Amino acid sequence: MPQTSLPTIAITSGEPAGIGPDIIISASKSEFAARLVVLADPTILEQRAQELGTQVNINILSSVDDCPEHESGVINVFSVKASSRVNAGILDVTNAPYVLSTLSKAAEGCLDGQFDAIVTPPVHKGILCETGRHFSGHTEFFQNLCDSPQVIMMLASDAMKVALVTTHLPLKDVADAITPESISLVARGLNKDLIHRYGLKQPKILVCGLNPHAGEEGHLGKEEIDVISPTLDALRKEGLNLIGPLPADTLFTEKYLKDADCVLAMYHDQGLPVLKYSGFGNAVNITLGLPIIRTSVDHGTALDLAGTGQANDGSLKVAITHAIEMANNAKKA
């Protein structure tokens, strides 16, 4: 890695037929205090820039160490070759290995110190699974590659940060997954990364109940009494600043959020709809609990927008900004 105080951030290409190339090209025209290395096939970026009718200067790196500080309008590319020509909006399974290769190279580069963080544009899970390799998402991919026992999904916008105890589970399975062990693992990991990745001394974390009105003293469910409250009490004795369990329908109000650092929701659709309503397109998806820093956009591949010039690069710019902030805090820790 270059001897510099500026972090080196790897940006993967995402699904090449989607808006990944579009938003990379667009975001490159913004200012960032970092070295940004895009792992992609430069031909794809050149072709997409032509389709978008925009000028971009692509600097192909012979080594990551050669990457200069980001300059507006310049994309520093570490070349990874695609298998086939890419047509905007049209998926091609033959390019799935290319997508997976960019993810692997980025993660391995973080683990060996070449990169300080990874930023991921959206991929298409279905086309990756068509290769015969199960791909449930970036989070699980990096968890397996890094051999991490516990990862935490957190989304952040200007208004709030929301982390999840459970992620992609059917609603009928959520209550059984809310255990003292699952709450404790996530709460400890969240607290640790808010300190080390965001520089917070003692994060204040609001914790949702599982049931309506946080169980209404057991009349609407007893998980708060039997599981959540005793677990939070034990974690507070460890020094964690946890408030709750609170009713989710009132927790997401200014009264509670104004002096909180993060919300810990029990399940996916308890916390994320509120955050996405308040900041969709300008929010960031962050994977905590990994030995590396990884941020991502909050949206999908948007195949219908690829090559049209209508894709919004806001979430990618926020993801890059968060990655830089977290990398800088990690250097200080």
Side-chain angles (χ1 to χ4, degrees):
M1 186 181 296
Q3 296 301 309
T4 174
S5 60
L6 291 176
T8 303
I9 311 296
I11 303 175
T12 58
S13 61
E15 165 53 51
I19 62 171
D22 306 52
I23 59 178
I24 288 171
I25 291 166
S26 178
S28 72
K29 298 178 182 179
S30 298
E31 301 288 343
F32 298 102
R35 287 176 162 79
L36 305 182
V37 179
V38 177
L39 284 76
D41 188 325
T43 303
I44 295 173
L45 296 174
E46 291 167 354
Q47 176 187 327
R48 191 62 57 85
Q50 290 177 356
E51 293 173 354
L52 294 170
T54 188
Q55 294 291 323
V56 65
N57 182 3
I58 294 178
N59 176 35
I60 300 177
L61 304 169
S62 58
S63 167
V64 171
D65 290 341
D66 296 334
C67 184
E69 180 179 350
H70 174 68
E71 179 183 349
S72 177
V74 178
I75 304 178
N76 295 302
V77 178
F78 188 76
S79 182
V80 181
K81 285 297 181 182
S83 301
S84 305
R85 177 181 170 83
V86 172
N87 296 300
I90 302 175
L91 294 170
D92 185 345
V93 70
T94 63
N95 276 325
Y98 158 72
V99 175
L100 293 173
S101 179
T102 65
L103 298 178
S104 296
K105 289 179 183 297
E108 290 162 2
C110 259
L111 289 171
D112 69 19
Q114 284 186 301
F115 304 124
D116 294 300
I118 302 169
V119 177
T120 57
V123 296
H124 194 284
K125 296 177 186 177
I127 205 71
L128 296 179
C129 288
E130 284 189 26
T131 63
R133 175 174 180 172
H134 178 67
F135 185 93
S136 56
H138 278 111
T139 301
E140 293 80 7
F141 179 88
F142 289 128
Q143 180 181 13
N144 291 334
L145 194 149
C146 296
D147 196 25
S148 297
Q150 175 71 35
V151 293
I152 302 160
M153 182 177 178
M154 183 177 82
L155 268 72
S157 68
D158 289 341
M160 69 189 83
K161 294 181 178 71
V162 177
L164 305 176
V165 174
T166 64
T167 53
H168 300 122
L169 281 181
L171 191 57
K172 66 182 180 61
D173 296 334
V174 169
D176 288 341
I178 302 299
T179 65
E181 292 77 18
S182 64
I183 295 171
S184 297
L185 279 171
V186 172
R188 290 187 188 112
L190 175 62
N191 186 71
K192 177 182 175 181
D193 276 359
L194 287 173
I195 293 170
H196 294 295
R197 306 292 200 202
Y198 282 94
L200 301 172
K201 292 185 178 179
Q202 189 179 30
K204 180 178 180 180
I205 301 170
L206 307 182
V207 183
C208 296
L210 174 64
N211 298 294
H213 301 181
E216 196 77 76
E217 298 182 351
H219 296 289
L220 296 176
K222 295 188 176 181
E223 284 82 4
E224 287 77 11
I225 294 173
D226 294 341
V227 178
I228 301 175
S229 290
T231 303
L232 298 186
D233 287 341
L235 291 168
R236 291 186 190 104
K237 292 178 182 177
E238 297 178 14
L240 277 68
N241 185 12
L242 304 173
I243 311 300
L246 298 170
D249 64 340
T250 53
L251 181 157
F252 289 99
T253 59
E254 178 66 16
K255 171 185 175 181
Y256 289 105
L257 293 177
K258 64 181 179 180
D259 61 349
D261 294 303
C262 189
V263 173
L264 181 57
M266 291 294 124
Y267 57 96
H268 187 280
D269 282 12
Q270 182 181 58
L272 298 193
V274 184
L275 182 140
K276 291 193 175 186
Y277 175 77
S278 71
F280 188 73
N282 289 288
V284 56
N285 186 342
I286 302 157
T287 306
L288 303 177
L290 295 170
I292 62 178
I293 294 169
R294 179 258 170 166
T295 68
S296 183
V297 296
D298 68 347
H299 56 75
T301 54
L303 295 169
D304 58 323
L305 297 181
T308 67
Q310 298 178 39
N312 185 342
D313 66 359
S315 184
L316 179 61
K317 290 192 289 190
V318 174
I320 294 171
T321 300
H322 271 259
I324 293 169
E325 176 189 356
M326 294 169 74
N328 285 332
N329 283 325
K331 286 176 180 285
K332 297 174 186 175

